[in-house]
Amino acid sequence: SATWRDSPHRRILLDNGAGSIKYSLASSDEPHVMMNAVGQNKRTGKVYFGNKLRDELEKGTAHI
């Protein structure tokens, strides 16, 4: 059975930066990028992280 050492399609690259996380398969040309943050709505208690948090902030959701 093939392992990650045998195939770049099984390797994951991860760059955990301060403001964003970039990740992809080693065989991919472009990484996926997500916001490196977590927030909670103080009124509803709902927790947002990554790009969902960015989307809520861009919508103008208050109390995060």
Side-chain angles (χ1 to χ4, degrees):
S1 148
T3 68
W4 66 270
R5 290 184 175 107
D6 302 325
S7 173
H9 298 289
R10 295 178 182 260
R11 296 179 194 160
I12 298 173
L13 303 175
L14 176 67
D15 176 6
N16 188 16
S20 65
I21 298 170
K22 298 177 200 127
Y23 60 97
S24 71
L25 295 174
S27 59
S28 297
D29 291 333
E30 293 291 322
H32 298 279
V33 179
M34 78 184 280
M35 185 178 181
N36 189 8
V38 175
Q40 182 176 23
N41 186 309
K42 293 178 184 177
R43 289 205 173 157
T44 65
K46 188 167 183 177
V47 175
Y48 300 96
F49 61 93
N51 294 342
K52 294 289 185 185
L53 174 60
R54 184 194 64 218
D55 295 344
E56 288 299 311
L57 293 171
E58 286 177 355
K59 286 194 305 190
T61 302
H63 310 291
I64 292 182

